[in-house]
Amino acid sequence: MRVRLVEGASLPSYADGIRQVYADVFSEPPWNEDPSAGDRYVERLAADATRPGFTAALALGEGSEGSFAEGAVGGFATAWTTPDVFPSSRSYGHVAEALGPGRVEGWLCGALEVDELAVAPDARGAGLGAALLSAVTEAAPGGRCWLLTSVHAEATLRFYRRAGWHQVPVPVPGRAGLVVLLGPGHPAARP
């Protein structure tokens, strides 16, 4: 598999593969989403691709290895620039409540926000997750990047810790058990 950045306008040609990877990954515990959530994600992705600073990376089969045909999607990652006016939709309101306005403005606004990262179960263990994460975060302004994940996603948390990400020791309110992670180059994550 090879990892490459993809323009938002090119994503529809990979929609079937992205949908399948999303459904395979996020129907597993701890997410337990209905497999049809892949359809909703692909619809949301079309709108997300228009966000300022949007970037996407795909892990694509090269045809000669494993079970992934030439161009087949084995994983993906998406990110964008968090707006200066911090949103209140989705989980943003809970994040703002947990961190407070000063940290939200200083740490998250204008930073690169990793929205999704998923690697197909058949493609795991080859470093694709790390390569996808690196691809979408290498242009983070001043090294400032962040993401949300669940405290229940133990393997996911271990992955981000191995990649040098730091968990903000403040729980995000709500039922999902979300936590904020800051990228290894984020100034607030440095000792």
Side-chain angles (χ1 to χ4, degrees):
M1 301 219 96
R2 71 185 186 289
V3 171
R4 69 180 185 100
L5 291 175
V6 178
E7 297 288 325
S10 300
L11 286 174
S13 61
Y14 298 100
D16 289 341
I18 292 169
R19 177 184 299 110
Q20 188 61 54
V21 171
Y22 186 96
D24 289 347
V25 170
F26 292 104
S27 64
E28 295 178 341
W31 314 109
N32 300 316
E33 291 187 27
D34 185 278
S36 67
D39 295 328
R40 290 187 300 281
Y41 176 69
V42 169
E43 289 172 13
R44 180 170 58 97
L45 185 58
D48 289 345
T50 65
R51 291 175 182 253
F54 178 84
T55 185
L58 298 176
L60 300 171
E62 294 186 302
S64 61
E65 59 185 78
S67 60
F68 289 91
E70 176 76 27
V73 177
F76 65 90
T78 59
W80 54 70
T81 304
T82 303
D84 288 335
V85 175
F86 200 68
S88 59
S89 61
R90 296 175 60 190
S91 297
Y92 291 111
H94 294 302
V95 170
E97 182 182 337
L99 297 182
R103 288 190 282 189
V104 164
E105 185 178 326
W107 293 1
L108 309 183
C109 292
L112 187 77
E113 174 183 348
V114 177
D115 179 56
E116 298 291 356
L117 175 83
V119 175
D122 301 17
R124 292 180 184 157
L128 290 176
L132 288 163
L133 183 61
S134 178
V136 296
T137 60
E138 73 181 355
R144 295 174 62 235
C145 52
W146 71 284
L147 60 84
L148 284 176
T149 194
S150 172
V151 294
H152 306 296
E154 294 171 8
T156 300
L157 285 169
R158 284 192 303 275
F159 163 77
Y160 285 116
R161 286 183 187 121
R162 280 192 312 271
W165 288 63
H166 304 275
Q167 183 175 332
V168 175
V170 176
V172 176
R175 296 184 321 201
L178 296 176
V179 293
V180 175
L181 298 175
L182 301 176
H186 198 296
R190 295 180 189 140

